[in-house]
Every structure is written in C-alpha cells, then in structure tokens.
Amino acid sequence: MLHLVTAVIQPFRLEVVKDALRDAGAAGMTVTEVSGFGRQGSHTETYRGAEYEVDFVPKLKIEILCTADESERVADLIVEAARTGKIGDGKVWIAPIGQAIRIRTGELGTEAV
Amino acid sequence: MLHLVTAVIQPFRLEVVKDALRDAGAAGMTVTEVSGFGRQGSHTETYRGAEYEVDFVPKLKIEILCTADESERVADLIVEAARTGKIGDGKVWIAPIGQAIRIRTGELGTEAV
Amino acid sequence: MLHLVTAVIQPFRLEVVKDALRDAGAAGMTVTEVSGFGRQGSHTETYRGAEYEVDFVPKLKIEILCTADESERVADLIVEAARTGKIGDGKVWIAPIGQAIRIRTGELGTEAV
Amino acid sequence: MFSHESWVCDDDSGGRRLKRKLLIGTALAAALVLVMASPALAQEDPAPAAQFVLDNLWIFLAGVLVFFMQAGFALVEAGLTRSKNVSNIMMKNLMDMSAGVLAFALVGFGIAFGGGELLGGWFGFDIGIAGVEQTEGEGLLPATFFFFQAAFAATAATIVSGAMAERTKFVSYFAYSFFITALIYPIVLRWTWGGGWLAQLDVPFSDFAGSTIVHATGGWAAMMGAIALGPRLGRYGKDGKPRPIPGHSIPFVVLGAMILFIGWFGFNPGSELAADEFVMPIALKTLLAAASGAVAAMALNWLKDGRPDVSIAANGLLAGLVAITAPVGTVETWASVVIGGIGGVIVVYSIAFFDRLQIDDPVGAISVHGVVGTFGTLSIAFFAKYDDAFLGREDAGLFYGGGLDQLWTQLIFVIVHFVFVTVTAGALFMAIKRTLGLRVSEEEEREGLDVLEHGSPGYGHDPSGPGIPSSRT
Amino acid sequence: MFSHESWVCDDDSGGRRLKRKLLIGTALAAALVLVMASPALAQEDPAPAAQFVLDNLWIFLAGVLVFFMQAGFALVEAGLTRSKNVSNIMMKNLMDMSAGVLAFALVGFGIAFGGGELLGGWFGFDIGIAGVEQTEGEGLLPATFFFFQAAFAATAATIVSGAMAERTKFVSYFAYSFFITALIYPIVLRWTWGGGWLAQLDVPFSDFAGSTIVHATGGWAAMMGAIALGPRLGRYGKDGKPRPIPGHSIPFVVLGAMILFIGWFGFNPGSELAADEFVMPIALKTLLAAASGAVAAMALNWLKDGRPDVSIAANGLLAGLVAITAPVGTVETWASVVIGGIGGVIVVYSIAFFDRLQIDDPVGAISVHGVVGTFGTLSIAFFAKYDDAFLGREDAGLFYGGGLDQLWTQLIFVIVHFVFVTVTAGALFMAIKRTLGLRVSEEEEREGLDVLEHGSPGYGHDPSGPGIPSSRT
Amino acid sequence: MFSHESWVCDDDSGGRRLKRKLLIGTALAAALVLVMASPALAQEDPAPAAQFVLDNLWIFLAGVLVFFMQAGFALVEAGLTRSKNVSNIMMKNLMDMSAGVLAFALVGFGIAFGGGELLGGWFGFDIGIAGVEQTEGEGLLPATFFFFQAAFAATAATIVSGAMAERTKFVSYFAYSFFITALIYPIVLRWTWGGGWLAQLDVPFSDFAGSTIVHATGGWAAMMGAIALGPRLGRYGKDGKPRPIPGHSIPFVVLGAMILFIGWFGFNPGSELAADEFVMPIALKTLLAAASGAVAAMALNWLKDGRPDVSIAANGLLAGLVAITAPVGTVETWASVVIGGIGGVIVVYSIAFFDRLQIDDPVGAISVHGVVGTFGTLSIAFFAKYDDAFLGREDAGLFYGGGLDQLWTQLIFVIVHFVFVTVTAGALFMAIKRTLGLRVSEEEEREGLDVLEHGSPGYGHDPSGPGIPSSRT
Ligand SMILES: Nc1ncnc2c1ncn2[C@@H]1O[C@H](COP(=O)(O)OP(=O)(O)O)[C@@H](O)[C@H]1O
Ligand SMILES: Nc1ncnc2c1ncn2[C@@H]1O[C@H](COP(=O)(O)OP(=O)(O)O)[C@@H](O)[C@H]1O
Ligand SMILES: Nc1ncnc2c1ncn2[C@@H]1O[C@H](COP(=O)(O)OP(=O)(O)O)[C@@H](O)[C@H]1O
C-alpha cells in the first residue's frame, strides 16, 4: 500500500526540507511552484500611485510517493524542517494511492518508489 | 475525515471563485498554473509565415483541503462561480485524504485545515 | 468509480504521450511544469567561476481523470509512451477519486470526464 | 516644393540666431527659387563650407538620436503593459516609425512646409518630398531638414499608442496613425514652425523644440483615444476604485526612459537647426531639467505613497524633458531646474487626476506629453530671459518684467492647439469607432492581442521543450 | 602597410566624390609612401584642417554607430531563438565583436587593403595594423579607416551566427568565425573596395556600402552553415511540414531591429567616407527604404497569413536597409522607396522558400542578408541615376537608358561572389564537421546550449528563492 | 567661477595637445577673468570658428555617449542580480543619473574645478554652475565642459550600486550616493584634472580618461560598501564555500556591456577634450583593448572552468576598457592589445579573489573598476611612449627606457587615491550604518526589494489574467 504525502511550504524552506528528506533516505520528490491563499492574509502593493491587494503568496508544493508506513515519518520530517512558527508555514496532507509504476522499468507498487 | 477538492478552471474566473469561497468561509486554497487539454480543442497560431497547432490552453488548478462534509458544498460553490457555459470551463473532483497537519502548530486532521 | 492517474515524465516526451492518449480516445488531461528530485541525481553548473549543484530537474506532471477500469490502460499507455529507458523517466501513480463534476454542465461522475 | 530654405542661416552680425524669424513674412516659394538657383554662393567661400557640412551633419545626427527615441517609447510602453500584448505594442512602435515616415513624406511634410498658402497660412499643401536630392545650398539641405522633421513626426505619432495600449484593434491603429501623422500634426506644424498664423502674430508664439507642437499634440490625441476606447477590462472596480494593472517589465520602462533621455539630446539641441555655440547650453538645460523632473517626481511620490515607484520616477524624467522642450532656448540655467522639477510634480498629480476620471492611460502619456507639454510652453511667459529667435526679444518673461503679452500669446497658442487637436482627434476616433471599430473584443482583450492580432505570443514557448504554452500574462 | 591612402580625397573640381576611383589602377604601395611622406601638405592650408578633422570624426562616429549594430544583431538573434540558448547567442555576438576585431586587425585587414599584390589583385597580404598611430595626412587617417572597416567586418561575421543558432558547438563557432573574418570576407574586400579585379573591370562593380560585400557575404556563408548543420530537432515533422519554433522574445527582436536601423545611419552615410553634402541624401534614402521595407513586408504578410507577424515586419525593416545599402548613392529618392519595398516583399517569400527547402534559419539571415543583399546590388543596374564614385558615370541604370553593361558587371559580381562564398564557406564548414564537429549532441540541443556550453542558464533562478530551476524553454 | 578656461586650447606650434598642462601652475581664477573678458578673440578669425563649434559639438556628443553608459550599467547590474530586485537596481541607476547630476552641479563641480584654492590645491570650493550660459570663448564652453564632467560623475556614482546590489536600503543608497558624487569624487577630481597637487608634482600623474580618477574611485568605494554590508543571505555556506546566486538575465548583461562599449567611445576619445586628429587613434586603442579584454577573460575562464562563462566575458570586455582608459593617449596600438588583455586576465582572478575573501560583489564592480582601473593607471609607467599632454614627454614608459620616476608618481597616485577613497567611503558607510542603517531586513532581502522598497514587483503579473502573483525570483 502506498501513500502520497503532499506539503505546501514556504519557498525558502525547500532547501532545508530537501536536505532533511534526503538525509532520511527519501528516494525522490516532485516540486511545484504554487500560490497560496490562507490565514496569512493579503498584503498591499502600490503601483503608479494606486494601491491594490495581493491575496496570494508564493508557496511550493512538494509531493512524495512513499509506502504507507513511511508516510507519517515523511510528514513529520517535513513539518519539522518547514516550520518557522509564523503564519503561512503551510500544510501537509496524506492521500492513499492505489498503484504506482516506475516508467523506466515498469516496476510496480513499493518497488516503483 | 478530510477531502481534497481539486478544480481546473478558466484563469479569468479565479477572482470570482476566490471571492465565493472566501465569502463562504473557506480558510485557504492553493493555486497552480497548469495547461489543459480537452474538448475545448486546439487553436492555430502563426509564426513567421508558418502555422502550428497549440493543443494546450492555460488553466488554473485550485486545491482545497476541507472536511468530508464540506466538500460537496465547496465543489458546488466552485462550479457555480467558475461556470461560463462555454466549452473549457473545466472539472472539479474530490479525493479522500487520510491525514492533514498544519506545519506551524502541528495540529492534525480537521484542526489543520 | 473514478481514478486520477498522475504521471511525472520527461518534458520532451509530452508530445508522444499526448498523441498516444489522444489516439486511445482520452478526453482530456491537465499538465503542470514541475521540478523533480530523484535517482537521476544532481548536476553541476558553473557561474562566474564558481560551481554549484542543481538538484532539481525540469519534469512535467500529467493528471488524467478517468474511470477506474480505464486507469490501468491509461497508466500503461503513458508508461509506454514516456519511456526512454534512462534514469529519470519518472513515475505514474493512481489515486481513487470520490466524485467529479463538469463545471460547464454540472454532470457528475463518469459523465464528467 | 517646400520651404526648408527658410531655415537658412545668415552669418552676419544679426546672426544665425535669427534664422527662424526669416520664415515669417517671407514669400516662401519665392525664396526657395532664389536660394536654390544660386548654389554657387555657398561654394565660393571655403570657410562656410565646413560650417555648411557641419550644420547638416549635426542635424542629421540629431535626427538619428530622435529616431532612437522610437526604441525608448517602444520599451516604456511595452514595459508598462502586460506581456500578452507585448508584440502588439512593439509592432505599433515599429509601424509609427515606418508607416509614419512614409505618410509624412507623402502627405504631411507638404502640408506643413509646402509652398502655396491656403486661407492665409491656416493651411498649405504640397506634394511629397521632391527636391530632397539636392546637395547644394546654404543652411540645411532639404534632405537634412526632412530627415529631422520626419523623426519629430514619428515621435508625435508614437505617443498615442501608449495611452491606447492593450485594447486597440491593429487595423484601427493604422487608420488613426495615418491621419495623425499625415494631417493633424502637419497642420499644427504649418501654423507654427511652418510659418503659419501663430508665427505671424504680432507677438509670435514660442515653442523651441515642440513641447506643444510635438508632445502635446501626441498627448491630447492620446487623451481622446483613451476616452474613445474606455478603460481596459477590470481597470476600475464596480465601485469605481482604480485597480492597477501592473506593467510586465520595469527594466524595460527604465531602459526606455534612459534611451529617450539620450534621444532628447538630439531633440532639443538639434532644434537649434545649426551647429553653433547655442547648442551646448541647450543640452545642459535639457540635462538639468530631466534630472530635476526625475528627482521631483520621485520625492513627491515617496512622500505621498511612502514608497517611491520606479515607473513614476521614469515618468518624472520624461516630464522634465517635455517641460524644458519649449523654453530651453529662452531660460536661464537655474530656471531649467525649476521648470523640470515642476514638470515632475505635475506628472504625479496629473496621473492621479486622470485615474480619478477613469481615463485609462497605461503609460501616463496624457500627463507626460499633454499636460506637462502645455505647462512647458506656458512657462516661457514666466521664465523667458533670452531671445531664442522665436521669441525675438530678451526678458520676455514675467519674472524679468516682460509684461503679459507673451503669456497672452502662449495661452492662445496652447488653447487653440488643445481645441484643434481634441476636436480633430476626437472626430477621427469617433469615425473609426463607427466604421472599423476601435476596440478589440472582450475575449481578445482577455487572451491578449499578440496571438489574435499577430499570430503568436510575444514570449514564445518551446514546443519541443516542456511542450506547454506559458500562460500569457 | 596598407592602402588607406587610396581613400584620400582630392578637393579640387573633380571632387571628393571621385575618391574611390583613385584606388583603381594605382600602385597602392607606392602611393602610400608618397602621401605618408608628405604630411605637411595637409597642414599648410588652414581651411582643410577643420574638414580633415570633421571627415575623420564623422567616420569614427559612423563606425561607432556600426558597432552599435552588434547589439541589434544580438537582440534580434536572441529574440528569435529559445531562452535555453540565450546566453550562447549573446556570447557569440560578443565574440564576433571582440575576437572578430582582433582577427581582422591581425590578418584580415592586411589581406583586404595591404600592399603587395598577388595574382594580379586577386589576393594581397600584409601584416596587421602598423601605421595606425599616424595622426597626420589627408582624408581618412589609418586609424579611422581601420576602425570603420573593423566595424563592417564584425557585421559580416555576426550575420552567420543567427542562421546557425541553437545547435552549433561553441568551439566550432570560433573556428568558422575566425576564417570568415580573417580570410573569406577580406578576400571579397580585396577584390572590391580593396581595388582588386572587380574594381578594375572596364565597367567596375558598384556596391556603395556593401549589400553584397558585407551582407551577402554573411548571408551566403550563413546559408552554407545552416545546410551543413541541418535543421534544429523537431523543426520539420516526419511529413516534412515545417513546425515553427517560436522565438522567446519579440520585444528583443523589435528593439534589436530598431538598434540596427539606428546603426545603419552609420553604415550607409558613413560609407561616403567623408563629411560632405552627399551624406544627408544617403541618410534620407536609407530611412525611406527601411520604412518601405517594413511596411511592404508587413502588408504582404498580413494579406498572405491574415495576421501581420511582428518579426516579419522587423525582417522587412532590415530587408529594406540591406536592399538600399548598395544603390543608396546612385538612386533617386523615390527609387529608395521602391527598392526598400521590393526588399520587404522578397524577404517574405524568401523566408518561406528556404523553409520549404528545410534549410532552418531561425532568424531569416539568409533571406535578409543573402537574397536581399544580392537583389540590392543588382537593383543598381536598373535604378542608377547618379554617379556615386563607384559608378563613375550618370544614368547608368536601365530605367535611365543606361544599357546592359552595368547589369552585366553586377551579375558577374554577385555570381562570382556567390560562388566564392558558398564554395569557401562550404569547404570550411565541411572541414570543421570532419574535425571538431559542427553540431552539439542531441541531448545538449534539447537541454539548451547555455548550461552545457557556458555553465548556467541565461535566465538564472534564485537558489534561496523558490529554490527550483525554472524549466528551460 | 570655475576653471574650465584651463582647457582652452592653444593652436600654435606647441599645440593643442598641451592644453592640459596649462592648467598646472596657472592662477585659475585670474585666467578665467582674462579669457572670459575677451570673447572677441575667438570671433575675429573665421577659421577657428568652425573648429570652436566642432570642439564643443564633439565633446557634447561624447558626453551623450557617456550618459548612454548609464543604460549599460543599469542593464549589467540588473542582469547579474535577481528578478525580485530588478526595479530597485534600475531605480538606483536612474537616480545616479538624475540626483547625481544635480548634486554634482550644486556642489561637486565647484569643489572640483572652482576657483579659490584652499590648502594649496588639496581643496577648493565654489558654488554651483554659474557661468554656464556663456556662449563665447575659446576651447570648450563652460556648458560643454560641465556636461561632459557631469556624465563622468554619474559614471563614478553608478559603479557603487552594482557591488551593493540586492541588500541596500534605498534611503541609505541616496545618502551615500550624494556624498560620493558631491564630495569624494570631486575631491579626487580637484587633485587631478582640477589642477591640484597631483597635477603639480614635478613628475605629474597621468590618467588620460580616468582609470583611477573615475573607475577606481567607484571601484574602491564599491569595495567599502560591499564590506560594510556583508554578503547577501545564502551567498556563502556555513563552510565558507561560495554559493553562486545566478543573475536573472544574461542577455541584459551582454546588451549592457555592449552599450558600455559604445559609450566608451565618448569616454576615452572625448577625454581629448577637443575635436582633433588624436581622437581616432584613441578610439582605435579603446576598441582593441576592449576586444582583447573580452577574449582574454573568456579564454582564461574557459581554460580554468572548462566552460566559458558569458558574464565573465562581458566583464572582460569592460576590464579591457577600464584598463586602457588611463594609458590610451600614451601607448602604442600593440600595447593597447596587451594592456586590455592583461585587464581581462586580472578580472578573472580578481573576481575569484574577492569571492574567497567573502566580499560579495554581484557584478564584479570592485574587480573591473577598482583593481583593473588601478592596473591601467600603473601600466602607463611601463608602456608610455607618446606625450598625451598629461605626461608632457615622450618615452616615459619603462619599456622605452623612461626610468622609474613615472612609476613612482603613478604609485603615489594610486596609493594615495586608494587610501583616500577607502578611508572616506569607509567612514561614510559606517556613519550611515550607525544612523539610517545600511542593510534591509532579512525578510525584505528574502522577499525582494522591489515590493518592499518600491511597492510592486519589477515583473508584474496580470491581476485579471491567471490572477496569481508570479513567484518572485
Ligand atoms: N484549506 C486549504 N486547502 C489547500 N491549501 C491550503 C488550505 N489552507 C491553507 N492552504 C495553503 O497553505 C498555505 C498556508 O496557509 P495559511 O492559512 O496562510 O497559514 P497556516 O498554515 O500557518 O495556518 C496557504 O498559502 C495555502 O497555500
Ligand atoms: N480527463 C481529464 N483529466 C484531467 N483533466 C481534464 C480532463 N478532461 C479535461 N480536463 C481539464 O479540464 C479542462 C477543460 O476541459 P474541456 O474538455 O476542454 O472542457 P469541458 O470541461 O467544458 O468539457 C481541460 O483543459 C483540462 O485541463
Ligand atoms: N518518491 C517520489 N515521490 C514523488 N515523485 C518522485 C518520487 N521519486 C521520483 N519522483 C519523480 O520522478 C522523477 C524521476 O525519478 P528518478 O528517481 O530520477 O528516476 P526513475 O523514475 O527513472 O527511477 C523525479 O525527478 C521526481 O519528479
């Protein structure tokens, strides 16, 4: 059984999270640039004398495919590495995955990770 | 129990969707720039006298983590706000989520949303 | 019952994958530019006389919503089309989806795909 | 035939400085024949030969600098608009330069400087660019004079495209551009530098390098265009509150402003129309006014908003330049700092003012060229100390005890000019709106003009690369 | 020693206009000694002094304008290619300018203008840039002449890199660049402006500023390079259908074209090689041809494809400029509009033609410089009315009843030139292909040349920012 | 009052070339009155009139070219830093040009060239820009001289902003910029071109166009600024290993370097301060040194790192230019190739050296302007063959048997200069650090200066488009 751990984090924490995961032996991850909307709230920018609200802030989304029993530890590692303690640190969530395949070899399931 | 509501929408509907969700009390969302391929079909561009097909159109993907009982309403709100009635309006889908953590506090489950 | 097939592939294979899926009658897909970290490993770049490691490589993530019984075939098609045989070809995984809606029409479930 | 020979200089005591006065009250066509028929005059004296070549070479080089301003305008306009319209705005600037030069050559130049007066100097007409192959004469050669004037005409036309950016049909742009370059601007020219009625007043108008003639013509036409079009989608909320649409590249804006700054050293010093010792003080005043405009706009904007906006500072630089363009020959050096600085202050308030009126001008063209250009022209009535040949007398400014007559003339000048340009440009835009249509469809505006008007996005993607089109912003 | 003294002017009746003729049939080395040994001649007469400085200063400034074209070429080429290769293309343009100038100084200039004739003017050789420190003489100083010629040499070299963009090894680029700048182009120069056999024909060739000598040399070498390389990966489908690879920045393309336009006011008017009264009509015709080329290409492309492509319009501007480069001294003003316009039309069809042949030229260099350059050179046989010192007579054009002899010469000129350049450049590229290899690996082409040839992407990312490399397009 | 009249030329035998010597040992204020009072002298002789205008026109145009360098600096600095700070760096360059010119006009110019000596030429003071409206005289008009000097002053100031990029508070930038332009640079000027003690030594200093006076002043001040600030966040790992922060746009870097290259043809040849026959060899040597610097830096970097870095090659071009700036008037042509090449070599090692010291200079300003500028000034002691009026004698270089006295003077010059600039700039930065604070907060540095200092990102997004802010890199 596999899980997909998804984390939305502050961009500048990526390096720390990546190092933590690598040190813990994680095989891989996939990262996406995203925009987040949340409690962190909007900030005001000005342009040519007029103000406007920016509701979205840049975040990174990390996806890690792992076995079901690893997923908690992966999530914990991310939480620890990504935490700054300020609003906007983001979330981690875990979803069940039915099947996984490594494209190169065709390996299935936990072999594929 | 948590759900992840994912929606692929027309980019220019984001503002409306965001306002609708915020008004309905949604705590947050994560948005990604994506390219969509679907019934909307390809269009032709020209460059230096030659034509080429562009199969993908710009879309936005919205992800909202919420409790299982909210998810339908969230999906409905998005559908309503994002609809223009033209081909290419996009899709919404709902996936089950096993666990969620707020990075800042370590809160779990529905607390984390 | 619906599935979401997610694939992380080499960017230059997109065209082949897309054609394969289209030929097989797939209705749509959503593509995201992502950065991958995996066995492919890092490479070294130089800038103004100093070296630095680049751990992430550009990948594309493809998401296809389909019925549960199609998902295996979709996954197989992708694996076949995306494979180059070199490290870094990527992964495919399949997740269960509870519900899906077509925004334009409000159609539900397999109708929505 | 055209009247370039009016610009011929006269090297004796009274001096080169008076050359422009010659133009007034001269039978233009007659003089042309006279000078053209006696090119030998210029050949006999060896010393003037070098001066003759030098005059022409310098004004040609000044014209090149003015043409370089096209790149500056293109970058400022591109930078202050969205990337999905970047090809379109670059194309317009390319065409202002190309089609504009042809239109001015075929029609506009004849209207502005051609012989044959209609209606006592209010109009004039002549065909094209005949005679420009001549290589003998005195003062400026026809080719030189046309080259320099064509560069100015391109400038006037290009100002409009900025204010109308991101929502104008390309074909309609072509239509209005043609009429502005071939008719509206040349008629203004005719009345003024062409020796028409404003030059023939008892107290003639003064506008050394064209704060009003060139810049305000562009600025007021831009205003009518922006009004006729209406604001860009989403530019003002339902509550009427402005919602800024940030430009996609501030480095383009600043680079463009710097290129314009460089080009202005052809625009103002070149308007001396001779290589003489007055060129350098003009250059210096141009420099100081630009610097002062940038600093003033930045400082005021910093005080007002708490953070100094970069594009406003760039607008301030340009405002300083536009402001000093008219008075540069007549004012003292310290005054150039003051006038440039006031230009910078005005531009900040003016941009806010038009924003409140919901006249959507993405680049500030109306304020920089229309409002500040008009201010610069009026400033002569206050600050003029020297005679720059237009003025024809010293101490004409109120601050030097010059009386109200110059203020009166300048007011007539800018008011008639404002009315003429707004009425003709307004009619033009309305006519286009009725026929070709002025504005692209809502969908096209949303998608961006690049793909729908020109075929593909301005920032292309690699089809064999990630393979997906970058979402167009 | 080199023969710059052949460019010395002769101020009496026959006139400055004939200066280039002097070069033909003169024992170059002998004349050099003569003039160099008597610099006092120039000093005695005070009036020429100002003219002497003015001539040199103007040609130096013209050279600066021509060097500025390097920035224009760099931007056009960068804009029309993908962002993953942007550093590479900028580097090549930087090196064309830097290494090219050195190669031309050390080898090329001597071949082109050195004393000591080999094989009756077909070849010549001399070492380097000796003598350029001289500050006395008549006409152009050696330093001035070299400066201007070096700017031209850099132009010829830079044209090639555009057509070969996105797939050439950097080391191989260096090799071919060296041979083109140090050998191929100088030999063409020797035959023509160097006073070689084409200048010594009974009816000598005519190519005022180098439509063929400079542009077509670059253009035809570019063609051989593009053929030797083959098209970029994915540029043509398996069915042979072209699949466009859009450039990554149209604003760069238009900005580059505008800079080239500005630089051309050094290229053409500067080729007068003196500050005289013929400079301005040349500038004017250059302007009108450019404008006409841009408008014609745009209009035709609009008709053909329904949407006016911006980069085609920019190519049209350049085509107008390339077309008028040869005939600019000899044709009437109206003819410059016609010639520029035809250039604009040709470029549209030519780009489509080479595309059909599957010769992949990302920037249109072959069409703009090779095809249109050749056309421009031939146009003289039809449109020539004036004597521009090359031509040596008036009304040489067929349209003025000039007979076929000039057409004959021009045909010999462009055909011999085409054969010479394609054969030597072809041999060069084949030799490089066999030895160093010409093309990067498939993987490198896909990844982009920036990282693999130069170490890092042209548009860098912030490692402490989002922390992930932008996917390279 | 200021001493521009010292630059007046003297057309008889001894010649124009000695003009700068006049300045030394002259009672500046006295001479001013004398020349100013007799403008008629210049008017009587018709021939000098054209030369007078030509001198002024050329130096004005050279000044325009130098001002164009501002655009070059802006692009190089913007390209080598991150996109989240792009508005900020462009703004600084815009303000160096604007506020810098005003500060130099109000304070700096008087200090540098004003009458009234204090402390035997170590200081001098005069108010502002009085007298610049004058249009008669000999040699350079006050307006021309000020214009050219103001362009130089803007250059000196702008160098600093590069090394301090991406982490300096905007208000503090304003403070240091003011003091450098209004005090530090003018005092250096006073001592040297202003005729102060370094010009009055028995063996006077030699620095033709300002390798040390302009460039090293900027370079050493930049060094102190970079030290005072500390490196950017994440620039050096905990292990002290450099972690490069790639610039966001290599095309901007190369375009900027090309613009600087063009501008330098105003900088060096313009420093002749007259339109004479020495301008062209100066231009040629500038060209060759630039080419040589670029090739040398590229080749060395290729050998060292296996891949030729594009921005290093651009730095090499600039290093070649900075190196030749001082010796350009005195050395032979071949020597310019050598000096430029050594400049290119030095810059590669110097950049690595400062990196090892953890002095974070994102653009290489310290190396290019400080280190190479100092080298260029010293090279005179070895390579000088000609008299460039500063030197006052021939064969002064060691390689021509010139003895050690010039080396001694040059060493005193660069050492005193280094000490003066580092001490005063160091004190300045420390004072600002204590009062206004020099560096932005860690959060602001991470987010980027554009939003927090100027209100919005330099590359804006479309709010009605995808609707999400592009993550700022
Ligand atoms: N309900 C949600 N669904 C999806 N993403 C969310 C949700 N809430 C927050 N996020 C993401 O997490 C980021 C941080 O959330 P925010 O509420 O600002 O702070 P915190 O997680 O510290 O409470 C947001 O920017 C957004 O990207
Ligand atoms: N099967 C699918 N899986 C994933 N995404 C899809 C799928 N079908 C469509 N999409 C996404 O939804 C977008 C709109 O779909 P399309 O078929 O064009 O219109 P509609 O949803 O109105 O029928 C597509 O651009 C794509 O991003
Ligand atoms: N555990 C994982 N979770 C999520 N994505 C992964 C994981 N492992 C690899 N990937 C993605 O797949 C890509 C290819 O993986 P990699 O290990 O380099 O090669 P391969 O799949 O051939 O073994 C990675 O760049 C990354 O985007």
Side-chain angles (χ1 to χ4, degrees), chain D residues 217-243:
Chain D
T217 299
W220 298 139
M223 184 179 74
M224 298 315 290
I227 292 173
L229 275 172
R232 287 167 292 172
L233 285 182
R235 180 65 179 80
Y236 298 96
K238 278 160 225 148
D239 49 353
K241 247 194 79 182
R243 302 201 312 179

Side-chain angles (χ1 to χ4, degrees), chain F residues 231-390:
Chain F
R232 287 167 292 171
L233 284 181
R235 180 65 180 80
Y236 298 98
K238 278 161 224 147
D239 49 355
K241 251 194 77 184
R243 302 201 311 178
I245 300 180
H248 87 283
S249 177
I250 296 300
F252 277 5
V253 176
V254 177
L255 176 61
M258 285 175 163
I259 289 177
L260 284 164
F261 168 77
I262 293 303
W264 233 285
F265 293 117
F267 204 97
N268 285 4
S271 290
E272 178 68 10
L273 295 175
D276 62 25
E277 62 279 20
F278 299 99
V279 165
M280 295 83 204
I282 289 170
L284 177 60
K285 290 174 218 170
T286 302
L287 171 67
L288 292 173
S292 180
V295 172
M298 187 217 61
L300 174 61
N301 176 247
W302 201 345
L303 285 174
K304 269 184 65 190
D305 295 353
R307 297 189 279 205
D309 187 281
V310 181
S311 72
I312 291 279
N315 276 159
L317 185 88
L318 304 183
L321 289 162
V322 170
I324 203 64
T325 293
V328 70
T330 54
V331 301
E332 290 188 279
T333 305
W334 65 267
S336 69
V337 178
V338 175
I339 292 169
I342 297 175
V345 167
I346 289 175
V347 93
V348 173
Y349 287 111
S350 177
I351 286 171
F353 173 76
F354 284 104
D355 210 14
R356 226 167 306 130
L357 291 187
Q358 303 204 4
I359 297 174
D360 181 20
D361 174 4
V363 306
I366 307 171
S367 300
V368 170
H369 301 278
V371 178
V372 176
T374 300
F375 156 71
T377 310
L378 290 177
S379 77
I380 292 173
F382 299 89
F383 292 93
K385 179 175 160 65
Y386 304 118
D387 171 14
D388 74 341
F390 274 114

Side-chain angles (χ1 to χ4, degrees), chain E residues 126-153:
Chain E
D126 202 346
I127 289 298
I129 51 172
V132 289
E133 277 149 47
Q134 206 179 308
T135 51
E136 292 177 339
E138 277 184 89
L140 294 188
L141 286 170
T144 311
F145 184 64
F146 176 81
F147 189 88
F148 193 66
Q149 290 297 334
F152 272 55

Side-chain angles (χ1 to χ4, degrees), chain D residues 111-303:
Chain D
I111 293 182
F113 300 104
E117 301 201 27
L118 305 177
L119 304 174
W122 277 71
F123 289 97
F125 190 75
D126 202 346
I127 288 297
I129 51 172
V132 290
E133 276 149 47
Q134 204 181 309
T135 51
E136 291 177 339
E138 276 185 90
L140 295 187
L141 286 171
T144 311
F145 185 64
F146 175 81
F147 190 87
F148 193 66
Q149 289 298 334
F152 272 54
T155 302
T158 220
I159 291 166
V160 181
S161 71
M164 297 178 67
E166 306 204 83
R167 56 207 193 279
T168 309
K169 277 177 153 181
F170 188 62
V171 65
S172 311
Y173 148 83
F174 246 94
Y176 81 70
S177 248
F178 178 81
F179 282 100
I180 290 175
T181 316
L183 285 177
I184 298 179
Y185 172 67
I187 290 174
V188 171
L189 266 184
R190 180 74 186 184
W191 291 350
T192 51
W193 294 338
W197 70 273
L198 275 160
Q200 295 173 27
L201 292 180
D202 282 345
V203 178
F205 85 101
S206 174
D207 185 359
F208 184 75
S211 282
T212 288
I213 297 171
V214 182
H215 291 280
T217 299
W220 298 139
M223 184 179 74
M224 298 315 290
I227 292 173
L229 275 172
R232 287 167 292 172
L233 285 182
R235 180 65 179 80
Y236 298 96
K238 278 160 225 148
D239 49 353
K241 247 194 79 182
R243 302 201 312 179
I245 301 180
H248 87 283
S249 178
I250 297 299
F252 277 5
V253 175
V254 177
L255 176 60
M258 284 175 164
I259 289 176
L260 284 164
F261 167 77
I262 292 302
W264 234 284
F265 293 116
F267 205 98
N268 285 4
S271 290
E272 178 69 9
L273 295 176
D276 63 23
E277 62 279 20
F278 299 99
V279 167
M280 295 81 204
I282 288 169
L284 177 60
K285 289 176 220 170
T286 303
L287 170 66
L288 293 173
S292 180
V295 171
M298 186 216 62
L300 175 61
N301 175 247
W302 201 345
L303 285 174

